[in-house]
């Protein structure tokens, strides 16, 4: 019998662990969570109630069979809530932990074997067809048949334009979730980035330092669009649009089709058209060549991200209010240099005029969002896997190379037997794979696949 190990204590790891607990009979299910609270990860560890989910409550769930339970949990905590509400992210973190706890209780009653490890995975060694050995903590080894990598977001790397002096000053913050490390109230806070992470950072900074001037800067200066207050009617010709998109050739043709649909949609909200593409987004991405993907990332990613990953309405209103009050300035500019100590000197080139200017900021916070460049990151385990040839970095630095089912591959496409990934590491293969609806579906499929493999292996070993 072969054990299975899930590495990563965030939401993706929790989904994979819980799904395996429910159906894996091949041996022990190990969950290697590290030192953080299991299940919350970066996304749901926040305690700030301003940080809202950007998916309606009815669509949130941890496991495939219980997609509606979050509403019940939220109602017990907040009173009556609706499926159309956008609720605090910390509440969903509580829900993940409760759901995993329920799966653990059920596994105990069913006599299933599992173990949760509060240390980090330090190294993975291939045993050939016999599976893998995982070094946990300092010197403890686990022998398993399958490994699921669910390590989530990588730690932020400083921008190349940030000097060592600025980094050493303490006035440049790489972790936007750790504003508590800065007790002194700044006069001006600059946030690098204008995506969803930056938006949450701005909201927290506005409350923590009510008299601080806030500046957000990104190359295009585009904030995420916001969701409608209530669900929208679907686009009537969505199926035809999706068929045309699947038959198109490259990002330019796709965007022409989408623009044409938006022009022809009449009273249909543009957000319905974009949301209706969700079932085919992974397929569209997989059909693109390397050159076409690079073209998309360079020219269209910024507007797609803003349109696809939108703010909750209340979040959008709060940001709008800060801007109207004059507390928040949003700049479309490239960061050329960050230097000095406190205050930091930030040199910018404005997008519209190409003029170079300098701003002083008492605190600069890098909130550029998801980093999937595993070849350049400081993640010890992933670096070891790349070095030893057990994983291969995606050529566009969107995680690692993998098959559609999450099995890691070598550069020549050959699979790495028994080694799988889920979540953000698969962005190069799936593009959109970090939202909970995609994660729970992937965890469900992977658990079924590994369970079937375990049964087949056990049956084969019993043959004379």
């Amino acid at each position: 019998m072969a054990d299975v190990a899930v590495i990563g204590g965030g939401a993706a790891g929790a989904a994979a662990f819980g799904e395996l607990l429910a159906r894996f009979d091949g041996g022990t299910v190990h969950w290697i969570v590290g030192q953080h609270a299991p299940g919350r990860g970066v996304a749901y560890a926040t305690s700030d109630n301003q940080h809202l989910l950007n998916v309606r409550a009815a669509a949130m769930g941890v496991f495939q069979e219980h997609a509606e339970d979050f509403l019940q949990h939220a109602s017990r905590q907040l009173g009556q809530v609706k499926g159309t509400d956008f609720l605090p992210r910390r509440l969903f973190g509580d829900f993940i932990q409760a759901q995993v706890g329920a799966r653990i209780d059920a596994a105990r009653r069913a006599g299933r074997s599992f173990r949760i490890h509060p240390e980090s995975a330090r190294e993975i060694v291939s045993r050939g067809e016999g599976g893998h050995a995982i070094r946990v903590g300092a010197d403890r080894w686990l022998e398993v048949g399958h490994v699921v990598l669910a390590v989530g977001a990588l730690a932020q790397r400083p921008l190349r334009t940030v000097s060592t002096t600025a980094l050493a000053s303490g006035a440049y913050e790489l972790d936007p979730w750790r504003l508590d490390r800065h007790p002194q109230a700044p006069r001006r806070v600059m946030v690098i980035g204008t995506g969803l992470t930056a938006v949450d950072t701005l909201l927290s900074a506005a409350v923590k330092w009510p008299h601080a001037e806030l500046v957000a800067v990104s190359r295009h200066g585009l904030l995420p669009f916001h969701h409608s207050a209530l669900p929208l009617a679907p686009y009537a010709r969505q199926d035809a649009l999706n068929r045309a998109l699947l038959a198109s050739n490259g990002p330019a043709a796709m965007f022409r089709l989408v623009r044409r649909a938006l022009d022809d949609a009449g009273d249909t909200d543009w957000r319905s058209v974009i949301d209706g593409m969700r079932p085919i987004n992974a397929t569209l991405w997989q059909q693109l060549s390397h050159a076409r993907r690079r073209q998309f990332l360079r020219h269209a990613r910024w507007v797609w991200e803003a349109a696809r990953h939108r703010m909750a309405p209340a979040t959008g209103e709060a940001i709008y209010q800060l801007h109207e009050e004059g507390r928040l300035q949003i700049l479309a500019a490239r960061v050329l240099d960050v230097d000095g100590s406190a205050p930091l000197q930030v040199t910018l080139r404005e997008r519209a005029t190409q003029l170079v200017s300098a701003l002083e900021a008492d605190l600069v916070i890098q909130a550029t969002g998801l980093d999937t460049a595993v070849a350049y990151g400081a993640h010890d385990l992933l670096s070891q896997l790349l070095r030893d040839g057990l994983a291969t970095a995606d050529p566009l630095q969107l995680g690692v190379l993998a098959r559609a089912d999450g099995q890691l591959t070598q550069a020549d496409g050959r699979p790495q037997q028994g080694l799988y990934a889920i979540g953000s590491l698969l962005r190069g293969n799936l593009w959109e794979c970090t939202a909970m609806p995609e994660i729970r579906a992937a965890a469900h499929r992977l658990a079924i696949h590994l369970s079937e493999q375990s049964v087949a292996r056990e049956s084969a070993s019993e043959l004379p």
Side-chain angles (χ1 to χ4, degrees), residues 35 43 135 145 320-321 360:
Q35 299 178 350
R135 182 163 65 89
Y320 174 79
Q321 188 66 31
E360 282 190 350

Side-chain angles (χ1 to χ4, degrees), residues 20-355:
L20 286 164
L21 275 185
R23 54 182 47 84
F24 189 80
D25 289 319
T28 299
V29 180
H30 296 274
W31 191 17
I32 304 170
V33 301
Q35 299 178 350
H36 301 289
R40 306 192 80 97
V42 173
Y44 306 113
T46 177
S47 59
D48 192 333
N49 282 332
Q50 295 181 103
H51 297 169
L52 303 180
L53 296 165
N54 67 323
V55 176
R56 299 182 195 276
M60 294 297 294
V62 186
F63 304 122
Q64 194 77 341
E65 299 92 339
H66 302 289
E68 297 292 328
D69 282 0
F70 179 51
L71 285 176
Q72 301 169 14
H73 174 88
S75 294
R76 289 194 296 270
Q77 300 294 317
L78 302 178
Q80 186 62 39
V81 297
K82 302 185 294 296
T84 56
D85 291 342
F86 295 87
L87 300 178
R89 288 215 312 272
R90 63 98 189 153
L91 190 65
F92 190 70
D94 295 342
F95 174 68
I96 293 173
Q97 293 184 312
Q99 288 287 285
V100 172
R103 286 284 170 108
I104 288 172
D105 291 341
R108 285 198 182 103
R109 291 193 299 270
R112 297 183 185 274
S113 177
F114 67 90
R115 187 174 177 185
I116 301 175
H117 304 266
E119 306 97 337
S120 297
R122 304 292 184 185
E123 183 180 0
I124 299 176
V125 176
S126 175
R127 300 294 197 213
E129 293 186 1
H132 295 82
I134 306 172
R135 182 163 65 89
V136 180
D139 56 4
R140 189 162 53 87
W141 290 86
L142 299 176
E143 298 286 342
V144 299
H146 309 284
V147 181
V148 179
L149 296 170
V151 299
L154 305 181
Q156 287 285 318
R157 295 170 293 127
L159 301 177
R160 291 192 297 270
T161 53
V162 182
S163 72
T164 54
T165 303
L167 288 172
S169 72
Y172 191 91
E173 178 58 71
L174 279 170
D175 188 346
W177 312 112
R178 293 300 308 275
L179 300 190
D180 57 305
R181 293 196 287 211
H182 304 275
Q184 185 173 351
R187 292 169 300 170
R188 177 183 287 153
V189 177
M190 177 177 286
V191 175
I192 300 178
T194 55
L196 291 173
T197 300
V199 164
D200 281 346
T201 303
L202 290 166
L203 293 180
S204 293
V207 171
K208 182 175 177 62
W209 301 302
H211 302 294
E213 177 188 349
L214 305 174
V215 178
V217 58
S218 68
R219 282 183 292 174
H220 296 90
L222 182 64
L223 290 167
F225 297 107
H226 60 81
H227 285 282
S228 60
L230 295 173
L232 298 165
Y235 174 44
R237 302 189 65 229
Q238 189 74 52
D239 288 344
L241 171 62
N242 288 356
R243 287 193 299 271
L245 288 167
L246 290 170
S248 65
N249 181 26
M254 291 178 188
F255 272 83
R256 282 196 297 271
L257 286 167
V258 171
R259 284 196 296 268
R260 191 178 305 150
L262 296 177
D263 291 340
D264 296 341
D267 294 334
T268 301
D269 194 288
W270 66 267
R271 290 167 288 196
S272 294
V273 176
I274 300 300
D275 291 346
M277 294 170 57
R278 187 169 190 166
I280 66 166
N281 281 337
T283 304
L284 289 175
W285 179 258
Q286 288 164 348
Q287 289 181 177
L288 296 179
S289 66
H290 173 80
R292 297 290 196 186
R293 292 180 184 184
R294 183 184 294 278
Q295 179 187 27
F296 171 84
L297 293 174
R298 183 175 182 180
H299 298 292
R301 177 179 186 169
W302 61 280
V303 69
W304 173 260
E305 297 275 24
R308 177 68 186 83
H309 303 288
R310 303 190 290 273
M311 296 183 282
T315 301
E317 179 60 32
I319 290 293
Y320 174 79
Q321 188 66 31
L322 287 172
H323 191 264
E324 285 295 294
E325 291 171 358
R327 287 195 60 196
L328 171 61
Q329 183 181 9
I330 301 168
L331 302 178
R334 184 181 292 272
V335 178
L336 299 179
D337 186 61
V338 182
D339 199 5
S341 51
L344 298 177
Q345 304 296 316
V346 184
T347 305
L348 304 171
R349 180 188 291 124
E350 295 183 26
R351 178 177 177 82
T353 65
Q354 294 298 296
L355 294 176

